[in-house]
Amino acid sequence: EDQVTQSPEALRLQEGESSSLNCSYTVSGLRGLFWYRQDPGKGPEFLFTLYSAGEEKEKERLKATLTKKESFLHITAPKPEDSATYLCAVQAGGSSNTGKLIFGQGTTLQVKP
Amino acid sequence: DGGITQSPKYLFRKEGQNVTLSCEQNLNHDAMYWYRQDPGQGLRLIYYSQIVNDFQKGDIAEGYSVSREKKESFPLTVTSAQKNPTAFYLCASSAYRGRAYGYTFGSGTRLTVV
């Protein structure tokens, strides 16, 4: 069964304190792994897509990496405006290319000034 | 600007009542999806549609119904058979981008049973 698990569930950081969020997955053929940011009461906002092990992508203070079993979202010197819930999702391969996403439960990040 | 519009933003349902959530997109995407989000849980797929006049059940379709009469529209009806409908509902559309489908999400509808 395709599954995505994120850890930790919640993370509190001081401004400037770097850390990483983890996304472990089991999927029958990975088409893509996605990271989204979600603010309270809003829809998810796209951050990154990773397609194969060894791939890395960066955007401002965020860097996403991918292995065959997990992905990390590294946050360098976070600011209070980085506070949000970060969602990880995978899209499975196979003959039925439906585009369905399987989501983890999210990591809620709070950055204190 | 292209995007997805969900309405209403907040919706209140009485016991035994059916309610319909609207989702409209102007991105010319073929595929559309409905997800449900509960506190502390990830998004769970309710229904999806890859082409007009066709749709498939997701993981938690019981108590919900959809239609796809136009490419731009994918409304979700929460029926009285859905025993625990209070949740945040998200609509999305996607287009295939060579290796995977890229998603665009709407801003969500929060449904509360009163």
Side-chain angles (χ1 to χ4, degrees), chain A residues 4-8 20-25 35 69-73 88 106-107:
Chain A
V4 178
T5 302
Q6 291 186 245
S7 63
S20 297
L21 283 56
N22 177 263
C23 172
S24 298
Y25 65 92
W35 282 98
K69 293 184 178 181
E70 58 190 351
S71 176
F72 290 94
L73 185 65
C88 173
T107 293

Side-chain angles (χ1 to χ4, degrees), chain A residues 23-36:
Chain A
C23 172
S24 298
Y25 65 92
T26 54
V27 64
S28 53
L30 180 70
R31 279 194 182 275
L33 183 141
F34 299 78
W35 282 98
Y36 291 89

Side-chain angles (χ1 to χ4, degrees), chain B residues 49-69:
Chain B
S49 167
Q50 293 183 284
I51 56 173
V52 175
N53 292 322
D54 189 43
F55 49 83
Q56 284 76 42
K57 293 181 179 180
D59 301 318
I60 55 166
E62 185 175 352
Y64 299 97
S65 66
V66 293
S67 63
R68 187 84 186 279
E69 297 177 1

